[in-house]
């Protein structure tokens, strides 16, 4: 891999400690970092290089998926340098420029520079334009910009942000992180059907009833109330992660694949999502907020009692929707999506439900629909549910068969994504068209929420969400899996 500088803005923040340093270390252990790389950490606090390196070491002890090897550690830490940095002060960019060049000279690195922005959203365009103004991003080698979500807070702000970034970086130089695209099972979707013609043969209009995508969490708002109370589940999870899962599922598992001459693109799918008008949003969307309850035997407070949350907050911590995709591959097959905090379990999965034979067609009792379940987290697996006759009762019973690779040593999403960014592969990053169209679809819903056109349903922490969500499904016919 090419020699490069990796400039990390926000190096004293939570994401760097929990995800980025451990990911870099595990890539290093796997020989997937460039042999020569200068990693510059930037943060507001004053810190020496040594202090910074010991923070990196601490984070590995706490969060690395593999144990820290004493022997390999010094050479890894030696790649790191620190620079106290105030993004609003132009002098700071000059100092940074000097440091980048000094390290490039010391290590014989050409001017290949990757800028990773893990900073408050309000700083992204400022840093980008100052990188340009200071000349840091106008060098001879290549440049890349990796940006964390949120990418804007609505359609207009996202467009404005993109416009600013695009004056400094070309689209192919911008890597918008959606860490759900880094999850191994999500990446697997891309080739699953090609690798398993058996699956392809069952994915067709006659047999699929609906698709359900769930991302449920047991955690609450944690210490992120300031951000979350403005974002809500719709901006935090739906506009990005869930719509990316819809795009990945619908473009890589399309029904009638063989009849489709051109591969279905993710943008084809997001472009084909039927818009939901804000006045009709109540027919397609359920939004909710958690009340006090119990998670794994421990009492937890309701959302409004969380530190930093306004006690009259109408913010959504739960979101579910029925979505129609007006594309030949999926026309007539509804997608149901839902996500929530403080739910009964942590689970992300895609369930494809097949049509089931009518109960009385051959005097058969106890039939349930066949299901194909792609489990994304906490474990990764593919399961199939079929009906088997139970000799004792002479009724059918649903039974499961489960396939998994049995690998307990899966790379984390951030390892896969960082590795791709380092080698210039943007396949699993969100491109601008996808982001823009996701915001476009979400925008009327944001307005419906803001104008209070939808009720906010309360649900007890530790439950499966508001009961009213069942009304999104065909009444009496379907259930949430
Ligand atoms: C983040 C959201 O993007 O994804 C968090 O900001 C959420 O609120 C997290 O908890 C969920 O990610 P994962 O990988 O744990 O499902």
């Amino acid at each position: 891999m090419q020699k490069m500088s990796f400039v990390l803005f926000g190096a004293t923040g939570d994401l760097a400690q929990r995800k980025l340093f451990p990911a870099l270390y595990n890539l290093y252990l796997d020989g997937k970092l460039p042999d020569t790389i200068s990693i510059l950490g930037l943060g507001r606090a004053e810190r020496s290089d040594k202090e910074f390196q010991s923070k990196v070491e601490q984070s590995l002890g706490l969060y690395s998926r593999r144990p820290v090897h004493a022997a390999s550690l010094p050479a890894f830490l030696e790649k790191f340098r620190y620079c106290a940095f105030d993004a609003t002060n132009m002098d700071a960019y000059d100092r940074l420029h000097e440091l980048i060049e000094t390290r490039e000279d010391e290590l014989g690195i050409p001017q290949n520079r990757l800028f990773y922005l893990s900073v408050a959203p309000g700083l992204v365009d400022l840093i980008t334009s100052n990188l340009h103004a200071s000349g840091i991003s106008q060098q001879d080698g290549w440049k890349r910009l990796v940006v964390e979500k949120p990418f804007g807070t609505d359609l207009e702000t996202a467009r404005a942000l993109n416009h600013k970034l695009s004056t400094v970086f070309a689209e192919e130089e911008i890597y918008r992180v959606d860490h759900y695209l880094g999850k191994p099972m999500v990446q697997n979707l891309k080739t699953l059907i090609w690798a398993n013609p058996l699956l392809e043969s069952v994915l067709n209009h006659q047999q699929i009833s609906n698709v359900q995508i769930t991302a449920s969490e047991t955690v609450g708002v944690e210490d992120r109330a300031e951000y979350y109370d403005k974002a809500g589940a719709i901006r935090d999870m739906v506009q990005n992660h869930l719509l990316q899962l819809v795009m990945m599922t619908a473009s890589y598992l399309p029904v009638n694949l063989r009849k489709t001459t051109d591969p279905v693109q993710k943008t084809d799918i997001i472009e084909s999502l039927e818009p939901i008008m804000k006045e009709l949003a109540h027919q397609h969307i359920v939004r909710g907020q958690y009340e006090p309850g119990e998670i794994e035997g421990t009492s937890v407070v309701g959302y409004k009692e969380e530190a930093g949350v306004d006690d009259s907050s109408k913010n959504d911590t739960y979101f579910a929707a029925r979505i129609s995709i007006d594309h030949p591959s999926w026309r007539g097959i509804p997608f149901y999506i839902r996500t929530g905090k403080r739910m009964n379990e942590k689970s992300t999965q895609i369930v494809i439900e097949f049509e089931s034979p009518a109960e009385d067609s051959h005097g058969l009792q106890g039939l349930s629909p066949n299901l194909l379940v792609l489990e994304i987290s906490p474990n990764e697996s593919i399961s199939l549910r079929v009906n088997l006759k139970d000799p004792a009762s002479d009724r059918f019973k649903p039974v499961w068969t489960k396939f998994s690779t049995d690998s307990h040593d899966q790379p984390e999403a951030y390892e896969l994504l960082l590795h791709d960014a380092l080698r210039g592969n943007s396949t699993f990053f969100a491109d601008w068209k996808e982001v823009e169209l996701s915001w476009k679809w979400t925008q009327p819903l944001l307005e419906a929420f803001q104008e209070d056109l939808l009720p906010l349903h309360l649900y007890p922490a530790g439950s499966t969400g508001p009961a009213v969500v069942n009304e999104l499904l065909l009444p009496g016919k379907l259930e949430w899996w």
Side-chain angles (χ1 to χ4, degrees):
M1 207 184 290
Q2 288 171 317
K3 299 176 179 183
M4 68 182 76
S5 298
F6 182 99
V7 186
L8 174 58
F9 296 79
T12 51
D14 209 43
L15 185 79
Q17 320 303 310
R18 283 173 187 266
K19 299 288 180 193
L20 302 180
F21 299 146
L24 287 169
Y25 181 62
N26 282 281
L27 288 175
Y28 172 70
L29 292 180
D30 287 337
K32 289 181 174 166
L33 275 192
D35 292 338
T36 309
I37 183 169
S38 146
I39 306 176
L40 304 180
L42 276 52
R44 289 183 68 95
E46 289 292 337
R47 241 167 227 185
S48 69
D49 289 338
K50 276 274 155 283
E51 285 165 341
F52 178 54
Q53 289 170 354
S54 79
K55 287 276 177 204
V56 174
E57 182 178 348
Q58 250 174 42
S59 94
L60 304 185
L62 289 170
Y63 303 113
S64 168
R65 77 184 160 90
R66 283 188 294 209
V68 178
H69 295 170
S72 66
L73 193 61
F76 175 70
L77 293 177
E78 169 50 29
K79 299 176 186 303
F80 287 78
R81 294 289 183 277
Y82 184 76
C83 179
F85 183 81
D86 171 1
T88 61
N89 178 348
M90 218 43 215
D91 294 342
Y93 293 83
D94 294 336
R95 281 196 304 278
L96 172 63
H97 202 171
E98 243 179 75
L99 180 59
I100 293 174
E101 290 186 338
T102 307
R103 290 295 281 159
E104 284 172 347
D105 289 347
E106 280 170 9
L107 300 170
I109 298 180
Q111 296 181 338
N112 296 332
R113 297 173 185 168
L114 184 151
F115 306 101
Y116 198 119
L117 268 51
S118 169
V119 294
L123 292 177
V124 171
D125 59 348
L126 177 77
I127 293 177
T128 309
S129 48
N130 285 345
L131 282 176
H132 182 75
S134 61
I136 297 177
S137 64
Q138 301 191 57
Q139 79 285 22
D140 287 339
W142 54 250
K143 60 180 188 299
R144 287 175 203 144
L145 180 75
V146 183
V147 215
E148 283 290 335
K149 74 176 244 284
F151 197 88
T153 52
D154 58 14
L155 181 59
E156 195 186 324
T157 52
R159 279 183 173 153
L161 174 60
N162 198 60
H163 176 71
K164 289 206 169 155
L165 300 193
S166 63
T167 58
V168 180
F169 291 89
E171 173 63 19
E172 59 277 12
E173 294 172 331
I174 304 177
Y175 292 65
R176 296 175 197 81
V177 176
D178 184 310
H179 80 279
Y180 270 52
L181 292 178
K183 295 188 185 255
M185 180 54 86
V186 177
Q187 299 201 346
N188 233 320
L189 289 173
K190 202 164 183 249
T191 45
L192 196 66
I193 291 299
W194 297 111
N196 297 287
L198 172 81
L199 292 182
E200 185 192 346
S201 62
V202 296
L203 295 178
N204 63 58
H205 269 109
Q206 286 68 45
Q207 272 149 299
I208 296 185
S209 152
N210 67 89
V211 177
Q212 301 185 9
I213 299 179
T214 302
S216 69
E217 300 187 81
T218 51
V219 293
V221 65
E222 299 174 289
D223 54 1
R224 302 159 71 216
E226 197 191 330
Y227 148 76
Y228 193 85
D229 204 38
K230 293 189 200 90
I234 189 168
R235 291 184 177 86
D236 188 50
M237 292 291 291
V238 179
Q239 179 274 332
N240 34 65
H241 306 324
L242 283 197
L243 289 183
Q244 280 292 343
L245 290 183
V246 170
M247 284 185 254
M248 290 295 289
T249 309
S251 56
Y252 293 121
L253 304 184
V255 295
N256 300 334
L257 191 68
R258 285 211 190 285
K259 290 184 206 135
T260 318
T261 39
D262 297 322
V264 183
Q265 303 296 329
K266 285 165 72 190
T267 43
D268 296 337
I269 297 299
I270 190 80
E271 228 159 5
S272 317
L273 286 199
E274 283 189 3
I276 299 176
M277 290 192 307
K278 66 178 175 185
E279 295 77 11
L280 298 180
H282 60 280
Q283 295 176 5
H284 302 266
I285 309 288
V286 168
R287 67 170 180 151
Q289 188 186 80
Y290 63 83
E291 290 192 293
E294 214 173 81
I295 304 266
E296 287 153 10
T298 308
S299 301
V300 296
V301 298
Y303 179 69
K304 289 201 228 348
E305 290 83 58
E306 298 275 16
V309 173
D310 192 296
D311 60 9
S312 61
S313 171
K314 290 193 160 178
N315 190 33
D316 45 294
T317 62
Y318 178 95
F319 178 103
R322 181 179 54 236
I323 292 180
S324 305
I325 305 179
D326 188 15
H327 185 277
S329 293
W330 292 102
R331 206 164 280 138
I333 301 176
F335 273 57
Y336 298 99
I337 59 172
R338 61 183 166 161
T339 183
K341 293 216 180 272
R342 286 290 191 226
M343 308 270 290
N344 61 335
E345 61 173 352
K346 167 80 183 157
S347 163
T348 305
Q349 60 174 24
I350 300 166
V351 179
I352 297 178
E353 177 177 337
F354 296 91
E355 298 286 358
S356 48
E359 280 277 319
D360 55 3
S361 57
H362 297 95
L364 305 174
Q365 296 291 312
L367 288 172
S368 327
N370 292 150
L371 303 176
L372 176 68
V373 179
L374 311 175
E375 186 189 9
I376 295 166
S377 76
N379 302 306
E380 306 216 320
S381 66
I382 297 185
S383 308
L384 194 60
R385 193 177 83 161
V386 297
N387 293 301
L388 265 194
K389 204 148 176 198
D390 177 9
S393 65
D394 210 29
R395 283 175 61 85
F396 277 87
K397 263 188 160 174
V399 292
W400 289 94
T401 174
K402 189 169 183 170
F403 309 97
S404 68
T405 55
D406 223 14
S407 155
H408 301 294
D409 198 22
Q410 293 272 22
E412 290 219 352
Y414 270 97
E415 279 172 64
L416 296 176
L417 293 176
L418 269 177
H419 186 228
D420 281 348
L422 292 171
R423 60 196 175 130
N425 178 352
S426 59
T427 309
F428 292 111
F429 290 82
D431 80 17
W432 166 239
K433 211 71 214 139
E434 293 164 15
V435 174
E436 183 183 35
L437 291 167
S438 303
W439 275 121
K440 199 168 167 199
W441 184 84
T442 313
Q443 187 63 34
L445 309 180
L446 293 175
E447 289 165 19
F449 286 18
Q450 194 162 349
E451 293 166 29
D452 234 344
L453 302 180
L454 286 185
L456 182 70
H457 298 280
L458 301 175
Y459 61 97
S463 69
T464 55
V468 66
V469 74
N470 293 329
E471 290 174 19
L472 287 181
L473 305 170
L474 276 180
K477 274 199 76 186
L478 299 179
E479 57 181 296
W480 285 98
W481 301 111

